[in-house]
Structures are given as structure tokens and as C-alpha cells.
Amino acid sequence: MDPPVSLGLPLDEPTPPDDCGVCTALANERTEARARGDLSRVSDLNVEIRNHHPARRKRRRT
């Protein structure tokens, strides 16, 4: 029998850098999606923001 699956905590919502217009636009779109209740889109936009500047990502503590 396989051991139980262990899931980590969800990632924190990314904060876009102030000097990036693309990330700012994505964050604004994320706010609008959340207001509409479209949490799937919110999640997609979080991934886009996170991946737009991969060098700026913080390493997650486990």
C-alpha cells in the first residue's frame, strides 16, 4: 500500500514589483477577477505574475 499523500500549504499571493507594468496590469486583472468571484482566474494570474520574473522569486520554506 502507498503511503498517504502529503500536501504543502498553498503559496502566498505574489506581490508584483513596482517597476513592472505587465505585473501591475496582471495584479489589477486579478483584483477584478476576485471581485467577480472567478477564483480560477485569480489562481491563473498568480501563476503568471510568479513566472514573469523568475529570478525575483523567494524560496519557500517547508
Side-chain angles (χ1 to χ4, degrees):
M1 183 187 282
D2 291 335
V5 176
S6 176
L7 300 176
L9 295 173
L11 295 174
D12 292 332
E13 196 165 83
T15 303
D18 294 332
D19 60 345
C20 181
V22 172
C23 288
T24 300
L26 290 170
N28 290 338
E29 190 175 339
R30 178 180 63 190
T31 300
E32 293 169 6
R34 182 174 286 112
R36 290 190 312 270
D38 188 355
L39 299 181
S40 175
R41 184 67 180 144
V42 170
S43 177
D44 292 344
L45 290 163
N46 284 339
V47 171
E48 286 189 54
I49 292 169
R50 240 181 242 111
N51 291 335
H52 190 247
H53 296 283
R56 295 185 185 195
R57 288 179 14 188
K58 291 182 186 176
R59 186 169 187 140
R60 210 175 133 187
R61 290 180 158 178
T62 54

